[in-house]
Amino acid sequence: MSKPFYKNKLTGNYGVLEEQVVSSQSSYLQLRLVNAVGGMIELSHQQENVTAENLVQVSPEEVQKALLGF
């Protein structure tokens, strides 16, 4: 995956940014979650709406260690 990984500080989930959603009430980002499948990191179908202040960019190594254990 070429997109940078992010961690949602509120949920602890990892993912990649999909798009920014702006409504009349608020502005938030869509984080497409990643999960471990067969020893690889893959995009899931789950998304979380998150604000920029609750995101922290993380390395692919951190995501691998958290989800795959190495």
Side-chain angles (χ1 to χ4, degrees), residues 4-68:
F5 288 103
Y6 291 89
K7 181 177 183 178
N8 182 338
K9 293 189 280 187
L10 294 179
T11 64
N13 292 328
Y14 294 93
V16 295
L17 287 180
E18 288 284 292
E19 61 185 318
Q20 184 166 355
V21 177
V22 180
S23 69
S24 59
Q25 303 298 315
S26 62
S27 171
Y28 57 88
L29 302 163
Q30 282 189 326
L31 185 70
R32 172 148 331 251
L33 303 183
V34 294
N35 52 22
V37 178
M40 295 176 58
I41 304 294
E42 293 187 359
L43 288 173
S44 76
H45 296 291
Q46 293 178 288
Q47 292 182 333
E48 291 181 341
N49 295 333
V50 62
T51 57
E53 55 268 11
N54 289 325
L55 284 180
V56 60
Q57 188 170 346
V58 296
S59 68
E61 292 78 22
E62 180 179 333
V63 176
Q64 250 186 347
K65 189 170 187 179
L67 297 181
L68 300 173

